[in-house]
Amino acid sequence: MKLEIKDLHVEVEGKEILKGISLTIEQGKVHALMGPNGSGKSTLANVLLGHPKYTVTQGKIILNGEDITNLPPNERASKGLFLSFQYPKEISGVTLTNFLRAAYNATHKPLSIVDFYKLLQEKMAQLHVDKRFAQRYLNEGFSGGEKKKAEILQMLVLQPTFAILDETDSGLDVDALKIVAEGINTVTCKDRGILLITHYNRILEYITPDIVSILQDGKITKTGGKELAQQIEQKGFKEL
Amino acid sequence: MEIKEAQELLSALPAREQLEALIDYGKQLKEFSETEKKEENKVPGCVSTAYLTVEVKENKVYFSGYSDALTIKGYLAILINGFNGMNVKEFLSTAESIVKEFITKTKLQASLTPSRANTLGNIIAIMIKKVRQQV
């Protein structure tokens, strides 16, 4: 099982952002994607889940051998793709419980409300999330760190095959970063692939990537092992 | 199942989902003997039909119950599964306050008709009365 990105070219409002990206994310592996601001990291994350703002002008996204380039986001999610947003949206009137239960039941064998709540409580405890969050409206009034934890909570509950984590570490203090990293490590297993998008080496102190790729100006400029992340930290993106 | 666990879940849910959860709990209710569906086992003051029996074995309480209303089945399941196996003395001294707290914390009255909401009080009252009669 793998998620393949083949020679992907993507435009936003007529401007080419991704200029021929090829990447393969394999099950059981953590693939870190690093790059400076504006290099196209979030564009890649969004286009993988089918954000309508982006236009694929060339190339393909293949999930387990199936071309999903033109599928709507909900179908991609049903096939096991997950995106943790860099800037999670607030949705007033929809509780975290109801949101997650609807998402869970749309992608899994539906659980009764009692069984779902037990599952949710177990995952919340794992992430040290206050029980009261279950009844709060999605992300409304959450701090930056709480929003990121809520994103990882979604991943723990939904158990996707491939998770794309777009700068999940941004806006987290050291303690929250550790908890979030633990949460990511919990779901990292032989059945799951992770594309971990980040600016910094910081989160990679807690999560060991199998592969590190560098994205600059819409192109993958280098791929290597975890040592590549350390080199970036020391030398910066330009020198590489 | 602990009553506290059900209390926590129901307190965290909006009214519509509370009813859904109550119906869900009702499915956990064990089968009730047809021969026990008699006048003396009826829960009084209940708009819908509800039955309750108790057996005290080795100083512990064991309830069985039935109702034709789905939400009442839920109440019965929560109370029966929560109290079954409890020591008689502990049951008699704590049951009423446990249920009182359950009613207050879950705010179930808001999502049920007044008669249905009162049922919970009726059920616990009859539970206590029946246990007292046996000890």
Side-chain angles (χ1 to χ4, degrees), chain A residues 97-98 101 112-115 117-118 121 131 135, chain B residues 5 8-9 11-14 17 20-21 24-25:
Chain A
T97 302
N98 280 349
R101 188 169 167 236
S112 74
I113 195 159
V114 174
D115 289 336
Y117 191 75
K118 281 181 192 161
Q121 290 294 309
K131 280 180 182 176
Q135 47 188 317
Chain B
E5 192 186 307
E8 215 169 76
L9 165 67
S11 319
L13 296 174
E17 279 77 14
E20 197 183 333
D24 241 27
Y25 279 120

Side-chain angles (χ1 to χ4, degrees), chain A residues 139-197:
Chain A
N139 292 322
E140 195 176 72
F142 287 21
S143 70
E146 287 165 348
K147 283 181 181 171
K148 293 303 173 86
K149 273 196 190 179
E151 293 288 294
I152 297 304
L153 178 66
Q154 285 177 42
M155 181 173 69
L156 292 188
V157 169
L158 298 175
Q159 301 278 318
T161 319
F162 288 100
I164 296 132
L165 309 179
D166 190 9
E167 298 202 18
T168 297
D169 52 342
S170 67
L172 295 179
D173 61 35
V174 183
D175 294 332
L177 179 69
K178 274 187 194 168
I179 293 167
V180 163
E182 269 171 33
I184 296 170
N185 281 329
T186 328
V187 296
T188 309
C189 64
K190 63 178 175 54
D191 299 326
R192 194 158 295 114
I194 290 181
L195 180 64
L196 184 65
I197 297 173

Side-chain angles (χ1 to χ4, degrees), chain B residues 2 4 6-7 11 15 19 21 27-28 32 43 57 60 68 71 74 80 83 101-102 104 131 133:
Chain B
E2 295 280 326
K4 282 261 179 202
Q7 180 178 307
S11 319
L19 294 184
K27 291 175 187 160
Q28 297 173 9
F32 189 77
V43 178
K57 271 193 298 192
K60 287 177 179 167
D68 52 8
T71 49
I80 291 173
F83 288 128
E101 187 190 307
F102 180 88
T104 318
V131 171
Q133 282 168 353

Side-chain angles (χ1 to χ4, degrees), chain B residues 76-88:
Chain B
L76 284 168
I78 291 168
L79 296 183
I80 291 173
N81 294 337
F83 288 128
N84 271 8
M86 192 183 255
N87 176 281
V88 172

Side-chain angles (χ1 to χ4, degrees), chain A residues 18-115:
Chain A
L18 299 183
K19 302 167 182 173
I21 286 188
S22 293
L23 268 184
T24 300
I25 301 136
E26 290 181 44
Q27 256 188 324
K29 300 271 166 76
V30 175
H31 196 132
L33 182 68
M34 302 180 78
N37 288 328
S39 57
K41 300 189 300 298
S42 289
T43 297
L44 178 63
N46 283 312
V47 88
L48 284 176
L49 261 292
H51 194 305
K53 183 176 141 191
Y54 303 91
T55 311
V56 175
T57 54
Q58 199 180 314
K60 282 177 180 171
I61 304 164
I62 314 276
L63 177 64
N64 304 326
E66 184 189 350
D67 186 348
I68 60 160
T69 320
N70 297 313
L71 287 187
N74 61 316
E75 286 187 34
R76 297 182 199 213
S78 294
K79 289 178 188 297
L81 274 191
F82 172 83
L83 170 64
S84 158
F85 291 118
Q86 183 179 1
Y87 303 110
K89 298 284 180 217
E90 295 184 6
I91 305 180
S92 192
V94 178
T95 62
L96 184 60
T97 302
N98 280 349
F99 171 75
L100 280 176
R101 188 169 167 236
Y104 183 92
N105 287 348
T107 51
H108 296 72
K109 190 176 169 225
L111 282 182
S112 74
I113 195 159
V114 174
D115 289 336

